[in-house]
Amino acid sequence: MSVASREKIVINQPPINPELIAENIAHVRARIAESAQRAGRQPHEVALVAVSKTKPLADVKMAYDLGIRDFGENRVQEALEKLATFCPPDLRWHMIGHVQTNKAQKVFGAFHCIHSVDSLHVAEALQRAAEKKSQVSGEDRRQPILLQVNVSGEASKEGMAPDEAPAIARQILSLPHLEVQGLMTVAPLVDDPEQVRPVFRALRQLRDRLREEVTDACWDQLSMGMTDDYTVAIEEGATIVRVGRAIFGERIKK
Ligand SMILES: *Cc1c(COP(=O)(O)O)cnc(C)c1O
């Protein structure tokens, strides 16, 4: 289980103040741009996924009206409820939490991208779900996914070990309904984000290695960096940052 999902969280928190969320988004965008520039990259090379888990749809709508188009959720049920209620054509929902294999049927095809494919087992469940769906409806879709890697090796974290990633990647690439686009990681909780720079660097290096060794996927995406560490992640090559609290405020915990 990831640190984030271990939190006991109250759902249906009160909506955020509209001025505050506007300020927050402007601040995050500015820091993304600064970090990209420091690394000699363009701000548009970094996609911002606003992590709306536990937050009411009112917050999602406010963020949407302020220009956010990518939203991340870590629980399947909550995510499916939200996307059934609010899904303008240009909004992209991302699954960033562990997908239990018995939820694969519901998850396949519902999200723009599943960041959290953490084992061959999960990938195979998604592939089977896709096959069933295409038998029923005839639609033949490919689901973009990222492979979640447990770079730090913490026992509490989901994700495959970096050493296993090339072999697992090769097997997943043989599943025709999945489209591997890159890697994702969740860094340990630390006081100073500099402490997790090596984690982000290691994910990028693993990506570079996969690019050379496993050539039939694009490996372009690196989903790394959260509220406390996204600036460091961008300096180390993140193409997607997943930011919750810096946009929507603290999640109320019990
Ligand atoms: C909750 C969560 C985030 C966002 O965390 P913040 O600290 O609120 O920015 C990012 N990624 C994953 C996988 C999460 O579960």
Side-chain angles (χ1 to χ4, degrees), residues 98-249:
H98 179 67
V99 176
Q100 287 161 291
T101 50
N102 62 359
K103 303 260 173 72
Q105 194 73 32
K106 288 181 174 170
V107 166
F108 185 91
F111 295 91
H112 176 70
C113 180
I114 302 172
H115 294 224
S116 41
V117 174
D118 50 15
S119 67
L120 178 61
H121 192 54
V122 168
E124 286 173 339
L126 290 167
Q127 169 66 23
R128 280 194 302 275
E131 286 167 8
K132 255 195 200 163
K133 279 197 176 168
S134 76
Q135 276 167 11
V136 174
S137 65
E139 67 173 312
D140 222 13
R141 292 179 61 176
R142 288 187 90 198
Q143 169 70 63
I145 64 166
L146 306 178
L147 307 187
Q148 183 170 353
V149 180
N150 183 359
V151 175
S152 61
E154 288 176 291
S156 63
K157 285 238 170 5
E158 283 145 353
M160 56 193 77
D163 286 352
E164 300 170 344
I168 297 177
R170 281 193 195 91
Q171 289 173 285
I172 293 180
L173 283 170
S174 71
L175 306 174
H177 284 283
L178 301 183
E179 183 180 324
V180 180
Q181 297 190 335
L183 301 177
M184 177 272 220
T185 199
V186 178
L189 266 182
V190 290
D191 293 328
D192 174 3
E194 281 301 328
Q195 290 174 269
V196 290
R197 186 181 290 277
V199 170
F200 299 138
R201 188 166 295 173
L203 193 74
R204 188 191 63 208
Q205 288 168 342
L206 176 61
R207 191 276 307 272
D208 295 345
R209 182 182 153 197
L210 287 164
R211 258 192 186 148
E212 297 202 342
E213 292 182 10
V214 186
T215 49
D216 35 4
C218 79
W219 300 117
D220 281 349
Q221 303 297 340
L222 279 178
S223 170
M224 56 187 196
M226 306 170 29
T227 290
D228 292 328
D229 53 26
Y230 66 94
T231 57
V232 174
I234 291 167
E235 289 169 11
E236 293 300 327
T239 63
I240 305 173
V241 292
R242 310 175 308 268
V243 179
R245 290 169 298 132
I247 291 175
F248 297 109

Side-chain angles (χ1 to χ4, degrees), residues 32-94:
I32 289 174
E34 285 162 17
S35 315
Q37 266 146 20
R38 269 200 303 279
R41 306 174 60 204
Q42 296 295 320
H44 71 254
E45 293 170 31
V46 183
L48 170 61
V49 173
V51 177
S52 51
K53 62 188 185 193
T54 81
K55 297 295 181 177
L57 261 187
D59 289 14
V60 172
K61 289 176 181 166
M62 273 188 248
Y64 180 85
D65 289 339
L66 292 162
I68 300 284
R69 288 295 175 269
D70 293 271
F71 292 89
E73 289 283 335
N74 73 333
R75 294 182 190 181
V76 171
Q77 199 51 43
E78 181 181 349
L80 292 175
E81 280 168 28
K82 282 179 175 163
L83 70 84
T85 318
F86 189 60
C87 207
D90 58 349
L91 187 156
R92 296 175 289 267
W93 285 101
H94 298 249

